[in-house]
């Protein structure tokens, strides 16, 4: 954790989950504390990325509702196929 401030937190869990964590820690030759920190970091990072993606989708939908600019699926697929075949094709322009 380095020089970062540390906050203690208490987490209530089932005996089964506690045992699973302890077994994993033993197999990995780590402390249960380290396993729990890694699990929390992985979960929070994934959920932050998921929420950012969701917010981008909301923003894109709002922009579409305001402007009407879009590409059809066929236009996007055609462009993606060209790219996958090594062509340096510019992305089609959005239209109403």
């Amino acid at each position: 954790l380095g020089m970062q401030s540390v906050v203690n937190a208490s987490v209530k869990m089932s005996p089964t989950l506690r045992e699973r964590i302890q077994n994993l820690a033993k197999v990995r030759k780590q402390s249960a504390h380290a396993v729990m920190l890694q699990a929390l970091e992985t979960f929070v990072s994934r959920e932050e990325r998921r929420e950012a993606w969701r917010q981008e989708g909301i923003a894109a939908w709002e922009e579409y509702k305001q402007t009407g600019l879009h590409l059809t699926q066929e236009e996007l697929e055609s462009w993606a196929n060209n790219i996958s075949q090594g062509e340096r094709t510019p992305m089609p322009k959005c239209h109403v």
Side-chain angles (χ1 to χ4, degrees):
L1 294 175
M3 298 300 290
Q4 299 174 357
S5 63
V6 177
V7 177
N8 288 326
S10 176
V11 177
K12 294 181 181 182
M13 66 182 78
S14 70
T16 303
L17 179 57
R18 180 181 169 98
E19 184 177 333
R20 290 171 61 199
I21 292 169
Q22 289 172 336
N23 288 338
L24 185 58
K26 184 178 179 182
V27 168
R28 293 190 173 176
K29 296 179 174 41
Q30 295 179 310
S31 67
H33 177 82
V35 169
M36 288 186 282
L37 284 178
Q38 289 171 358
L40 287 169
E41 176 62 37
T42 299
F43 173 81
V44 170
S45 293
R46 183 189 71 216
E47 291 305 308
E48 286 172 336
R49 287 189 307 272
R50 183 177 287 164
E51 184 58 27
W53 181 78
R54 192 177 80 80
Q55 291 299 322
E56 287 176 26
I58 291 169
W61 175 246
E62 291 301 321
E63 183 179 346
Y64 167 74
K65 288 192 311 187
Q66 290 177 7
T67 67
L69 293 174
H70 69 282
L71 291 174
T72 65
Q73 182 172 346
E74 292 79 20
E75 291 167 331
L76 190 58
E77 284 177 354
S78 175
W79 173 72
N81 287 335
N82 290 342
I83 295 295
S84 70
Q85 294 173 7
E87 295 180 29
R88 302 188 112 219
T89 307
M91 187 171 180
K93 297 271 188 219
C94 290
H95 55 83
V96 179

